[in-house]
Amino acid sequence: MNGTGERAVFERIAARLAARFHGLASAETIGRLVADSHERLRATSRVDAHLVVLAERFAAERLTALAQAEGRRGKPVPEVLFVCSGNAGRSQMAAALAAVRGAGRLHARSAGTAPAAELELVIVEAMQELGVDLSPEFPKPLTDELVAAADLVITLGCGGACPVLPGIGYLDWTVPDPAGRPLTEVRRIRDELDLLVTDLLTTIRHEENP
């Protein structure tokens, strides 16, 4: 894609997001996040064919988080951000399990401090066994907006790389990295994460109903 064509695509994406985030973000902010999201994903992704679509999804997630962090959009449930290095295994599984098990009691996001090119197929397979489809997901870089919007940040092996902001809770879950492991081991890691998520939801429930 040449420079002119790329600008035209970005302008179309920005126009769609401007309608969606009317009153929540300026046109300048939207344009900046669209271009930055595309550039960040292009730096790590191996798949150019869907890069524009993924960049729009990522920019929308960042705009939502920015509006939440700045108080222009409410948070009806706690926002939990799961962070690992590649965002291709542990944090993706944990966020998906939290969304499924939480049944609307929290909203989960995930990100990586050094995003991988794609999710490992064995991760997708292990989650599919629980009826959770991770195939549409993709590794996303950790950004300031995602951290600032969180009520709780849970790190999985990358705590030192995650910025610490006041007013946000932090936990570190010591769980093995599933990268390169066979399905049997990935299942064990998945099940360990499932237990941790269940404990987290119990804690959230108690905080809601002391």
Side-chain angles (χ1 to χ4, degrees):
M1 187 184 297
N2 60 37
T4 302
E6 190 172 84
R7 283 195 299 274
V9 170
F10 289 172
E11 287 172 2
R12 289 196 295 272
I13 293 174
R16 287 195 294 269
L17 292 177
R20 180 174 169 184
F21 289 91
H22 178 70
L24 297 175
S26 68
E28 180 181 1
T29 296
I30 292 171
R32 175 177 58 82
L33 286 185
V34 168
D36 184 66
S37 295
H38 184 270
E39 185 61 29
R40 286 178 183 242
L41 293 180
R42 183 166 58 183
T44 57
S45 176
R46 293 177 186 160
V47 183
D48 289 338
H50 305 293
L51 192 56
V52 169
V53 174
L54 298 183
E56 182 169 355
R57 285 175 54 190
F58 185 41
E61 185 170 7
R62 294 175 67 186
L63 286 165
T64 299
L66 180 63
Q68 290 174 328
E70 295 182 348
R72 292 192 298 274
R73 171 168 282 187
K75 294 188 285 185
V77 294
E79 288 285 345
V80 181
L81 175 64
F82 295 92
V83 184
C84 67
S85 177
N87 192 220
R90 288 170 290 184
S91 58
Q92 290 278 2
M93 287 194 289
L97 288 166
V100 171
R101 306 303 189 209
R105 295 199 302 276
L106 58 75
H107 181 259
R109 295 185 173 109
S110 71
T113 56
E118 58 191 358
L119 266 66
E120 293 195 34
L121 292 178
V122 68
I123 302 296
V124 177
E125 183 179 353
M127 293 300 292
Q128 187 64 55
E129 292 176 348
L130 300 183
V132 180
D133 184 12
L134 281 185
S135 59
E137 299 301 325
F138 58 99
K140 300 174 293 294
L142 183 66
T143 67
D144 293 342
E145 306 90 9
L146 298 180
V147 177
D151 297 296
L152 176 64
V153 174
I154 298 178
T155 56
L156 299 111
C158 64
C162 187
V164 177
L165 301 180
I168 297 173
Y170 289 83
L171 292 174
D172 185 66
W173 287 355
T174 305
V175 179
D177 187 349
R181 297 181 183 243
L183 180 58
T184 52
E185 293 186 32
V186 173
R187 286 175 178 144
R188 285 196 289 271
I189 294 168
R190 175 201 66 194
D191 293 344
E192 185 176 349
L193 286 168
D194 207 0
L195 289 173
L196 288 166
V197 165
T198 299
D199 288 344
L200 173 66
L201 291 167
T202 300
T203 301
I204 290 174
R205 189 181 303 113
H206 286 166
E207 290 175 351
E208 292 172 342
N209 303 288

